[in-house]
Amino acid sequence: MEEPFVLGGTDDARWVVHPPQDPHGDGYVYRVRAELHDDGMSAVTVATVFRGFAGSASTLAEFVAGLAADWQGWDGSRDWRSADHELTLDARHDGRRHVSLGVTLRAPGPSWDRSAWSARAVFVLEAGEEMTRFAADLAHWLSTQASSGN
């Protein structure tokens, strides 16, 4: 069994991303189980992601790498979302040294469903070395998953 990617610690908020699965065997559409744990809250969803295209602008790895590359800051929020919005990330730079990375999980299915739920946790990362390390670790983990045939 492959190890999941984890942002955060065991006692703090943590975001867990399990290895992507290719249900159609096409190397294009993947399902990713994601978890959030924070202050007694636990949430799990399965997100649909694309290997080479992630909706608006980039893959998850490219999105995070872009945040690390712009360590000196940016205005407003930068956002990434899975194909059906079950997993979304939003990032804000404080103009000094930190990036607040919000991770939101949503119930699979239509957003108008009254039984739908969402859960959110925010991770604060140092904009330089810590963000760069996070981006490199995530990119390496994702490329390892791709080469293992998942």
Side-chain angles (χ1 to χ4, degrees):
M1 179 176 153
E2 295 93 12
E3 292 296 315
F5 180 83
V6 180
L7 173 62
T10 56
D11 295 332
D12 301 326
R14 69 186 182 284
W15 173 39
V16 181
V17 182
H18 293 271
Q21 302 298 312
D22 184 356
H24 307 293
D26 61 5
Y28 184 67
V29 177
Y30 289 81
R31 302 275 189 248
V32 176
R33 178 182 157 100
E35 304 173 19
L36 269 181
H37 304 278
D38 188 18
D39 198 25
M41 178 268 304
S42 291
V44 178
T45 196
V46 177
T48 302
V49 297
F50 300 109
R51 176 66 71 191
F53 175 76
S56 59
S58 66
T59 64
L60 177 57
E62 291 167 341
F63 173 75
V64 173
L67 300 176
D70 291 340
W71 63 272
Q72 292 178 312
W74 62 85
D75 292 327
S77 178
R78 292 187 178 176
D79 305 303
W80 179 91
R81 61 183 81 43
S82 63
D84 295 324
H85 301 208
E86 310 97 341
L87 169 61
T88 61
L89 277 68
D90 59 272
R92 292 185 177 274
H93 195 289
D94 68 1
R96 295 184 185 139
R97 307 184 296 223
H98 295 97
V99 174
S100 295
L101 181 68
V103 178
T104 302
L105 302 184
R106 290 185 175 84
S111 60
W112 50 263
D113 182 356
R114 294 173 82 60
S115 65
W117 55 263
S118 68
R120 177 176 163 81
V122 177
F123 301 86
V124 178
L125 299 144
E126 184 267 322
E129 288 297 319
E130 188 176 22
M131 193 72 206
T132 299
R133 188 172 48 254
F134 166 57
D137 289 350
L138 179 62
H140 175 74
W141 182 82
L142 288 168
S143 68
T144 301
Q145 299 308 308
S147 64
S148 72
N150 283 330

